[in-house]
Amino acid sequence: MTDRPLTLMAVHAHPDDEATGTGGVLARYAAEGIRTVLVTCTDGGCGDGPGGVKPGDPGHDTAAIAMMRRQELEASCGVLKVSDLEMLGYADSGMTGWPSNDAPGSFWQTPVQEGAARLAELMRHYRPDVVVTYDENGFYGHPDHIQAHRITMAALEMTALTPKVYWTTMPRSMMQRFGEIMREFDEDMPEPDPAEAAAMAEIGLPDDEITTWVDTTAFSGQKFDALAAHASQGENIFFLKMGKERFGELMGMETFLRVQDATGAAVPENDLFAGLR
């Protein structure tokens, strides 16, 4: 027996990712007395600036945006009752194909072993019982999400720890539904071209391959408010257009693929800490 609290560590790429993919579990497990540790790998400097100014446009001040996004991230963590926030501080690499992908010091250009060594140090400090990050494709192919996956898996290999490890995912049945919902809120949204539609169809997993379904309905209000804390990126956060009530109806389940487990807990499971308590 030990007095060390059960600990969840979520490793995300940018400020606001914590709320989108894991806001429900962060809030739920914090409410259950579990220590929640958020590691955010980049500074979010490739996000929108005040007034929606985009990267590459006049007036886009990367350093000022990074500072603003840190403040928003801290506010989001306050909403979700995150116990500990750790920022690795790498430069945001931007979306696939952006020039910032190749910028020296960007997260995408950082050697995996370098980033993994820093993350492994945090893992040794916090000794998480559960680690959550993205799959090999960063869920939808974003370079920084892919890099977050890579350094997380490499960091785990560097430590002697054996936490349960999960990758965020989405049921394909829900992904299909999202297309309909997005058009409901934006009637002018064009139909995706065939290549884009095919790529979207590969995101997530068939429902029967998902190992872990966590009901976070009671915390959907906190999740919405955490997303809303990232006000500077509101134009890019589709979910905020739903309003809190509809958001709560649709976003009450967070799903994961369990990829490492030493507890023998049966799947499908409804608790990331199944077998640990």
PDB file of all heavy atoms in Angstrom, residues 178-196:
ATOM      1  N   PHE A 178     -21.045  13.382 -36.931  1.00  0.00           N
ATOM      2  CA  PHE A 178     -20.493  14.722 -36.826  1.00  0.00           C
ATOM      3  C   PHE A 178     -20.643  15.497 -38.127  1.00  0.00           C
ATOM      4  O   PHE A 178     -20.891  16.705 -38.118  1.00  0.00           O
ATOM      5  CB  PHE A 178     -19.016  14.688 -36.418  1.00  0.00           C
ATOM      6  CG  PHE A 178     -18.815  14.694 -34.942  1.00  0.00           C
ATOM      7  CD1 PHE A 178     -17.834  13.915 -34.365  1.00  0.00           C
ATOM      8  CD2 PHE A 178     -19.600  15.473 -34.118  1.00  0.00           C
ATOM      9  CE1 PHE A 178     -17.645  13.909 -32.997  1.00  0.00           C
ATOM     10  CE2 PHE A 178     -19.424  15.485 -32.742  1.00  0.00           C
ATOM     11  CZ  PHE A 178     -18.439  14.698 -32.181  1.00  0.00           C
ATOM     12  N   GLY A 179     -20.469  14.812 -39.261  1.00  0.00           N
ATOM     13  CA  GLY A 179     -20.643  15.482 -40.544  1.00  0.00           C
ATOM     14  C   GLY A 179     -22.036  16.063 -40.678  1.00  0.00           C
ATOM     15  O   GLY A 179     -22.215  17.200 -41.140  1.00  0.00           O
ATOM     16  N   GLU A 180     -23.028  15.297 -40.242  1.00  0.00           N
ATOM     17  CA  GLU A 180     -24.409  15.761 -40.300  1.00  0.00           C
ATOM     18  C   GLU A 180     -24.627  16.928 -39.338  1.00  0.00           C
ATOM     19  O   GLU A 180     -25.297  17.911 -39.662  1.00  0.00           O
ATOM     20  CB  GLU A 180     -25.353  14.608 -39.949  1.00  0.00           C
ATOM     21  CG  GLU A 180     -25.227  13.403 -40.885  1.00  0.00           C
ATOM     22  CD  GLU A 180     -25.907  12.164 -40.325  1.00  0.00           C
ATOM     23  OE1 GLU A 180     -26.555  12.275 -39.247  1.00  0.00           O
ATOM     24  OE2 GLU A 180     -25.784  11.085 -40.942  1.00  0.00           O
ATOM     25  N   ILE A 181     -24.036  16.813 -38.151  1.00  0.00           N
ATOM     26  CA  ILE A 181     -24.216  17.863 -37.132  1.00  0.00           C
ATOM     27  C   ILE A 181     -23.568  19.161 -37.592  1.00  0.00           C
ATOM     28  O   ILE A 181     -24.129  20.250 -37.419  1.00  0.00           O
ATOM     29  CB  ILE A 181     -23.621  17.395 -35.789  1.00  0.00           C
ATOM     30  CG1 ILE A 181     -24.433  16.214 -35.245  1.00  0.00           C
ATOM     31  CG2 ILE A 181     -23.596  18.540 -34.777  1.00  0.00           C
ATOM     32  CD1 ILE A 181     -23.758  15.484 -34.111  1.00  0.00           C
ATOM     33  N   MET A 182     -22.366  19.065 -38.188  1.00  0.00           N
ATOM     34  CA  MET A 182     -21.675  20.268 -38.641  1.00  0.00           C
ATOM     35  C   MET A 182     -22.491  20.994 -39.703  1.00  0.00           C
ATOM     36  O   MET A 182     -22.569  22.228 -39.714  1.00  0.00           O
ATOM     37  CB  MET A 182     -20.291  19.910 -39.165  1.00  0.00           C
ATOM     38  CG  MET A 182     -19.333  19.471 -38.065  1.00  0.00           C
ATOM     39  SD  MET A 182     -17.756  18.862 -38.671  1.00  0.00           S
ATOM     40  CE  MET A 182     -16.946  20.396 -39.107  1.00  0.00           C
ATOM     41  N   ARG A 183     -23.114  20.242 -40.598  1.00  0.00           N
ATOM     42  CA  ARG A 183     -23.936  20.879 -41.630  1.00  0.00           C
ATOM     43  C   ARG A 183     -25.216  21.463 -41.027  1.00  0.00           C
ATOM     44  O   ARG A 183     -25.761  22.448 -41.539  1.00  0.00           O
ATOM     45  CB  ARG A 183     -24.249  19.889 -42.747  1.00  0.00           C
ATOM     46  CG  ARG A 183     -23.095  19.745 -43.744  1.00  0.00           C
ATOM     47  CD  ARG A 183     -23.444  18.867 -44.908  1.00  0.00           C
ATOM     48  NE  ARG A 183     -23.467  17.463 -44.547  1.00  0.00           N
ATOM     49  CZ  ARG A 183     -22.378  16.705 -44.472  1.00  0.00           C
ATOM     50  NH1 ARG A 183     -21.195  17.219 -44.756  1.00  0.00           N
ATOM     51  NH2 ARG A 183     -22.461  15.440 -44.140  1.00  0.00           N
ATOM     52  N   GLU A 184     -25.670  20.858 -39.944  1.00  0.00           N
ATOM     53  CA  GLU A 184     -26.841  21.404 -39.251  1.00  0.00           C
ATOM     54  C   GLU A 184     -26.562  22.807 -38.731  1.00  0.00           C
ATOM     55  O   GLU A 184     -27.429  23.683 -38.763  1.00  0.00           O
ATOM     56  CB  GLU A 184     -27.208  20.472 -38.087  1.00  0.00           C
ATOM     57  CG  GLU A 184     -28.327  20.993 -37.196  1.00  0.00           C
ATOM     58  CD  GLU A 184     -28.512  20.104 -35.974  1.00  0.00           C
ATOM     59  OE1 GLU A 184     -28.155  18.905 -36.022  1.00  0.00           O
ATOM     60  OE2 GLU A 184     -28.991  20.639 -34.954  1.00  0.00           O
ATOM     61  N   PHE A 185     -25.341  23.038 -38.254  1.00  0.00           N
ATOM     62  CA  PHE A 185     -24.985  24.330 -37.693  1.00  0.00           C
ATOM     63  C   PHE A 185     -24.380  25.280 -38.731  1.00  0.00           C
ATOM     64  O   PHE A 185     -24.181  26.455 -38.449  1.00  0.00           O
ATOM     65  CB  PHE A 185     -24.009  24.148 -36.526  1.00  0.00           C
ATOM     66  CG  PHE A 185     -24.676  23.638 -35.272  1.00  0.00           C
ATOM     67  CD1 PHE A 185     -24.749  22.286 -35.025  1.00  0.00           C
ATOM     68  CD2 PHE A 185     -25.253  24.517 -34.373  1.00  0.00           C
ATOM     69  CE1 PHE A 185     -25.380  21.811 -33.880  1.00  0.00           C
ATOM     70  CE2 PHE A 185     -25.885  24.063 -33.230  1.00  0.00           C
ATOM     71  CZ  PHE A 185     -25.945  22.701 -32.978  1.00  0.00           C
ATOM     72  N   ASP A 186     -24.072  24.764 -39.911  1.00  0.00           N
ATOM     73  CA  ASP A 186     -23.513  25.605 -40.972  1.00  0.00           C
ATOM     74  C   ASP A 186     -24.055  25.104 -42.306  1.00  0.00           C
ATOM     75  O   ASP A 186     -23.457  24.260 -42.960  1.00  0.00           O
ATOM     76  CB  ASP A 186     -21.983  25.549 -40.952  1.00  0.00           C
ATOM     77  CG  ASP A 186     -21.354  26.530 -41.949  1.00  0.00           C
ATOM     78  OD1 ASP A 186     -22.108  27.174 -42.711  1.00  0.00           O
ATOM     79  OD2 ASP A 186     -20.113  26.623 -41.969  1.00  0.00           O
ATOM     80  N   GLU A 187     -25.202  25.646 -42.686  1.00  0.00           N
ATOM     81  CA  GLU A 187     -25.881  25.175 -43.893  1.00  0.00           C
ATOM     82  C   GLU A 187     -25.079  25.431 -45.156  1.00  0.00           C
ATOM     83  O   GLU A 187     -25.297  24.784 -46.183  1.00  0.00           O
ATOM     84  CB  GLU A 187     -27.260  25.842 -44.004  1.00  0.00           C
ATOM     85  CG  GLU A 187     -28.213  25.442 -42.888  1.00  0.00           C
ATOM     86  CD  GLU A 187     -29.557  26.137 -43.009  1.00  0.00           C
ATOM     87  OE1 GLU A 187     -29.682  26.993 -43.919  1.00  0.00           O
ATOM     88  OE2 GLU A 187     -30.456  25.835 -42.222  1.00  0.00           O
ATOM     89  N   ASP A 188     -24.160  26.393 -45.099  1.00  0.00           N
ATOM     90  CA  ASP A 188     -23.365  26.726 -46.285  1.00  0.00           C
ATOM     91  C   ASP A 188     -22.112  25.865 -46.412  1.00  0.00           C
ATOM     92  O   ASP A 188     -21.343  26.026 -47.366  1.00  0.00           O
ATOM     93  CB  ASP A 188     -22.939  28.197 -46.230  1.00  0.00           C
ATOM     94  CG  ASP A 188     -24.136  29.140 -46.285  1.00  0.00           C
ATOM     95  OD1 ASP A 188     -25.123  28.785 -46.949  1.00  0.00           O
ATOM     96  OD2 ASP A 188     -24.079  30.216 -45.655  1.00  0.00           O
ATOM     97  N   MET A 189     -21.907  24.952 -45.458  1.00  0.00           N
ATOM     98  CA  MET A 189     -20.718  24.114 -45.508  1.00  0.00           C
ATOM     99  C   MET A 189     -20.771  23.203 -46.737  1.00  0.00           C
ATOM    100  O   MET A 189     -21.747  22.467 -46.927  1.00  0.00           O
ATOM    101  CB  MET A 189     -20.606  23.261 -44.238  1.00  0.00           C
ATOM    102  CG  MET A 189     -19.393  22.354 -44.208  1.00  0.00           C
ATOM    103  SD  MET A 189     -19.268  21.471 -42.645  1.00  0.00           S
ATOM    104  CE  MET A 189     -18.823  22.815 -41.549  1.00  0.00           C
ATOM    105  N   PRO A 190     -19.741  23.245 -47.575  1.00  0.00           N
ATOM    106  CA  PRO A 190     -19.773  22.409 -48.786  1.00  0.00           C
ATOM    107  C   PRO A 190     -19.549  20.942 -48.440  1.00  0.00           C
ATOM    108  O   PRO A 190     -18.952  20.604 -47.410  1.00  0.00           O
ATOM    109  CB  PRO A 190     -18.605  22.954 -49.612  1.00  0.00           C
ATOM    110  CG  PRO A 190     -17.657  23.518 -48.599  1.00  0.00           C
ATOM    111  CD  PRO A 190     -18.519  24.070 -47.497  1.00  0.00           C
ATOM    112  N   GLU A 191     -20.045  20.101 -49.306  1.00  0.00           N
ATOM    113  CA  GLU A 191     -19.762  18.672 -49.156  1.00  0.00           C
ATOM    114  C   GLU A 191     -18.264  18.439 -49.387  1.00  0.00           C
ATOM    115  O   GLU A 191     -17.673  19.062 -50.276  1.00  0.00           O
ATOM    116  CB  GLU A 191     -20.559  17.860 -50.183  1.00  0.00           C
ATOM    117  CG  GLU A 191     -22.057  17.841 -49.941  1.00  0.00           C
ATOM    118  CD  GLU A 191     -22.453  16.982 -48.759  1.00  0.00           C
ATOM    119  OE1 GLU A 191     -21.666  16.100 -48.385  1.00  0.00           O
ATOM    120  OE2 GLU A 191     -23.550  17.206 -48.218  1.00  0.00           O
ATOM    121  N   PRO A 192     -17.624  17.574 -48.587  1.00  0.00           N
ATOM    122  CA  PRO A 192     -16.194  17.322 -48.792  1.00  0.00           C
ATOM    123  C   PRO A 192     -15.952  16.630 -50.123  1.00  0.00           C
ATOM    124  O   PRO A 192     -16.811  15.898 -50.613  1.00  0.00           O
ATOM    125  CB  PRO A 192     -15.829  16.410 -47.614  1.00  0.00           C
ATOM    126  CG  PRO A 192     -17.119  15.757 -47.215  1.00  0.00           C
ATOM    127  CD  PRO A 192     -18.185  16.770 -47.490  1.00  0.00           C
ATOM    128  N   ASP A 193     -14.775  16.909 -50.724  1.00  0.00           N
ATOM    129  CA  ASP A 193     -14.455  16.207 -51.964  1.00  0.00           C
ATOM    130  C   ASP A 193     -14.176  14.738 -51.635  1.00  0.00           C
ATOM    131  O   ASP A 193     -13.973  14.375 -50.472  1.00  0.00           O
ATOM    132  CB  ASP A 193     -13.271  16.858 -52.676  1.00  0.00           C
ATOM    133  CG  ASP A 193     -11.987  16.797 -51.871  1.00  0.00           C
ATOM    134  OD1 ASP A 193     -11.648  15.734 -51.327  1.00  0.00           O
ATOM    135  OD2 ASP A 193     -11.286  17.824 -51.803  1.00  0.00           O
ATOM    136  N   PRO A 194     -14.195  13.853 -52.639  1.00  0.00           N
ATOM    137  CA  PRO A 194     -14.064  12.418 -52.368  1.00  0.00           C
ATOM    138  C   PRO A 194     -12.811  12.042 -51.583  1.00  0.00           C
ATOM    139  O   PRO A 194     -12.866  11.183 -50.693  1.00  0.00           O
ATOM    140  CB  PRO A 194     -14.043  11.806 -53.775  1.00  0.00           C
ATOM    141  CG  PRO A 194     -14.807  12.775 -54.614  1.00  0.00           C
ATOM    142  CD  PRO A 194     -14.488  14.126 -54.058  1.00  0.00           C
ATOM    143  N   ALA A 195     -11.671  12.680 -51.896  1.00  0.00           N
ATOM    144  CA  ALA A 195     -10.432  12.343 -51.189  1.00  0.00           C
ATOM    145  C   ALA A 195     -10.532  12.729 -49.719  1.00  0.00           C
ATOM    146  O   ALA A 195     -10.121  11.971 -48.826  1.00  0.00           O
ATOM    147  CB  ALA A 195      -9.244  13.060 -51.836  1.00  0.00           C
ATOM    148  N   GLU A 196     -11.109  13.910 -49.459  1.00  0.00           N
ATOM    149  CA  GLU A 196     -11.270  14.364 -48.073  1.00  0.00           C
ATOM    150  C   GLU A 196     -12.254  13.473 -47.336  1.00  0.00           C
ATOM    151  O   GLU A 196     -12.045  13.121 -46.163  1.00  0.00           O
ATOM    152  CB  GLU A 196     -11.762  15.814 -48.066  1.00  0.00           C
ATOM    153  CG  GLU A 196     -11.867  16.420 -46.673  1.00  0.00           C
ATOM    154  CD  GLU A 196     -12.362  17.854 -46.723  1.00  0.00           C
ATOM    155  OE1 GLU A 196     -12.257  18.494 -47.790  1.00  0.00           O
ATOM    156  OE2 GLU A 196     -12.847  18.326 -45.686  1.00  0.00           O
TER     157      GLU A 196
END
